[in-house]
Amino acid sequence: MPARHASAERPTTARHARTHRSGRVMRGTALVTVALLAFGGTAVYATYERLNGNINHVEVDDLLGDRPERAAVKPGADPDAGKPVNLLLLGSDSREGENGDIGGRVAGGMRSDTTIVLHISADRSRVELVSIPRDSMVAIPSCTTTDGQTTGASDYAMFNEAFARGWDTGLDLASAAACTWKTVEANTGVRIDDFLLVDFAGFQNMVDAIGGVKICIPADMDDEKAKLHIDAGMHTLNGRTALAFARSRHSQTSDGSDIGRIGNQQRLLAAIASQTLSKNVLTDWTDLLGVLNAATKSLTTSMQTSDLAGLAYSARSIRTGNIAFMTIPWGAAPTDKNRVEWTPEADIVWANLASDTPMLTGTQNDPGTAETTAPTKDPSGGTKATQNPGKTPKPQATKKAGRDSFTLDDNTGSC
C-alpha cells in the first residue's frame, strides 16, 4: 500500500554562521553516504566548483582549542588518499522558515537531533557510522563562540546540550557545531576532521532528488508528533515521509526512546546507501547532477568541496558489507532511567576509530574473536550470532537497528 504522505518542499539552510569561501564544507546526516558515493566520477570534478556555490561554508578552526592528535598515516600510504578521515554529521531541528512549516513552530533556539561520527579508513575499505544518543550524559567543555564569548562547562550533562549552548551563546551554526565538535573530541579521544549539517527541508529535498527511498516497514506506524502515518509493507518514501520516519519515536512500534529513533535513522541511511550503490545514480549524468545539486543545497560544512569530491571518489569502490552502523554502547544512567551513559565497551569503539582499527575489534561482537555459534551480547544492547574463527561473517537473519551493529548486507526489517 502507498505511504500516506505527500511530497517534499524546497529546502532552506540557516545562514547565521559567518561564511568563508576558502573554508571547509560541511555535509549532513542523511546525505553522508550518498555524497561519498555520488561524487564517484571524473565529470563531477569539472562541476564541483559550480556546486560549491550552493553550500553554506563556515570556518570553526579558531573555536576548537586543543585537539586530539591526528592518526598516523600507515607507512607507504599516499599522503592524501592514505589518511583516515573522521566526519561529524549533525542533523538540525531548526524551526525557522520552511523548517518550521515542516517540524512545527516551537519557542527557543536551534537544537541538534542527530549526531553521527563517520569514520573512513585510510585504505578506503571501510565506512563506519557511530550514532551518539542525544540523551547521553557526558562532560561538556567550555566553548568559545564566534563573538568571543565562552559557554559554561559541565562534568555531567546531556550530550545535545553542547550544540544548544553554542547556539544560544553565539547565535550561529559555527558556534553550535564547534561546541559539539569539542564535546565529541573531549569524550572520545577521536580527532574530528570536519563537520556536516543538514536541516529538515534539506533532508527532504535530498531524498526527493534520488527518487525516494525504498524501505521495508515491518509494522504499521502512527506517530502524530512526527506526522507519520504509514502501513506495513515495502514503500518508496518521499522526502516528507522519510523525514517523518527518521524523526519518529512515538509510534506503536517504538518504546518512545531516542534509541528507537536512532534505529529508524540508521535504517534510512542504510537504505539510501544501498539504493545509491545499486541504481545508476553514479553513472547517469542527469540523475547525478540532480542528487548533487540537492545535496549541496542542504549542507553547512567546514570542508572544502574539492576535499569532499576527492574523498568520495577514493571511496567509490567500497563493498556493502564494509559499510557499518552502530549506536555507541550504552546503558541506563543510574540517576535517571530516561538518560543513558556509555559503557566500558564504548571506550574500545572510540579507541578503534581513533587508531583506524575496525570499530568492533575487541568488543563482544567482534566476529574475529568468536569461537562458537552461540549468541552473544551486542555492545549496543542487542544480540549477535557469532561466527567460527577464520570464516567470513555471514549476514544475520535479523538485526535491530539502533541496538545492534549491522552492515548493508544485514537484514534489519522483513516484509
Side-chain angles (χ1 to χ4, degrees), residues 59-129:
E59 177 60 60
V60 299
D61 286 353
D62 293 342
L63 307 181
L64 297 175
D66 294 334
R67 310 285 311 286
E69 293 296 324
R70 188 181 301 276
V73 178
K74 296 177 181 179
D78 182 274
D80 295 319
K83 295 179 181 179
V85 176
N86 297 304
L87 303 176
L88 182 64
L89 313 179
L90 301 172
S92 160
D93 72 346
S94 168
R95 305 304 173 92
E96 297 181 344
E98 185 180 359
N99 290 295
D101 297 334
I102 296 169
R105 307 284 174 185
V106 295
M110 185 183 293
R111 300 295 182 260
S112 177
D113 262 358
T114 302
T115 304
I116 296 174
V117 175
L118 179 139
H119 175 78
I120 305 163
S121 64
D123 62 6
R124 302 301 184 256
S125 67
R126 291 178 286 110
V127 172
E128 298 166 332
L129 299 96

Side-chain angles (χ1 to χ4, degrees), residues 19 23 108 167 195 201 217 226 263 324 331 340 361-363 413:
T19 58
W167 176 267
F195 82 95
I217 306 297
V340 303
T361 300
T363 65

